[in-house]
Amino acid sequence: GLILLVEICRHRIDKRAQGHPFAVTVLESVYRELSTLGIVEFGIYMAHTYMKDFNVTIEAVFAKVHFLLFFTAIINALMSVLLAFFSSRVSQRMWVKTEELELNHYLAIREEFYRVEKLMGEYESTEEEQQYPSVWSRSSLKR
């Protein structure tokens, strides 16, 4: 019953992750960790079952260390998901603010930048800029 429940949950998670490359990558890393954990634990079980001189104390320490590494990997995957979620939200907000910036306001900021730059004596137009002024060059902004 537990295996069926796990498979149903995994199927639903996989379905939701389709089309989201980052989510698929995180899920694949989690599945790899789970399969590694299962393979190592199977090896320990086989050694414990068939080796007569198997040291149970060493097995217990190994199991604790192995589970600690497993949980570290899972927490790393979860932190990556949280970081991706929040950074995408922040970048989306910043992008919306940038898109809402009016062109006139941008041009006024650009004009002020050139004025201050000229006052500081750092602006020297090149011959190429004078011959081929771009859309955002100083001369085109004054039109």
Side-chain angles (χ1 to χ4, degrees):
L2 181 61
I3 293 175
L4 183 61
L5 179 65
V6 168
E7 284 299 320
I8 289 170
C9 290
R10 188 174 155 209
H11 176 73
R12 288 184 179 170
I13 290 171
D14 289 343
K15 274 288 210 195
R16 290 192 71 154
Q18 285 180 348
H20 304 283
F22 179 75
V24 170
T25 303
V26 170
L27 281 175
E28 285 175 357
S29 99
V30 169
Y31 294 156
R32 261 194 314 269
E33 285 299 320
L34 285 170
S35 67
T36 302
L37 179 70
I39 291 168
V40 170
E41 289 301 317
F42 176 72
I44 290 173
Y45 170 78
M46 295 300 282
H48 184 62
T49 303
Y50 295 109
M51 288 178 65
K52 294 180 182 169
D53 60 340
F54 190 72
N55 191 340
V56 178
T57 308
I58 293 176
E59 175 202 0
V61 171
F62 180 79
K64 285 181 183 179
V65 169
H66 193 251
F67 275 107
L68 180 67
L69 293 174
F70 167 73
F71 286 125
T72 302
I74 296 299
I75 289 171
N76 184 32
L78 292 175
M79 293 304 287
S80 297
V81 168
L82 287 174
L83 180 65
F85 176 77
F86 287 116
S87 65
S88 68
R89 297 292 181 239
V90 168
S91 65
Q92 178 66 25
R93 245 185 267 133
M94 290 174 68
W95 182 253
V96 167
K97 285 181 182 177
T98 303
E99 287 289 318
E100 290 175 348
L101 188 66
E102 292 181 18
L103 184 60
N104 292 337
H105 183 68
Y106 174 77
L107 293 175
I109 292 171
R110 192 84 168 160
E111 282 287 331
E112 182 66 16
F113 170 76
Y114 284 133
R115 186 184 71 76
V116 170
E117 192 175 48
K118 188 174 181 181
L119 287 174
M120 294 178 68
E122 293 179 5
Y123 183 79
E124 294 179 18
S125 61
T126 62
E127 279 185 38
E128 185 178 321
E129 186 182 19
Q130 290 172 356
Q131 287 178 347
Y132 310 105
S134 70
V135 176
W136 298 109
S137 69
R138 224 171 119 211
S139 58
S140 67
L141 289 174
K142 290 187 175 182
R143 289 185 212 169

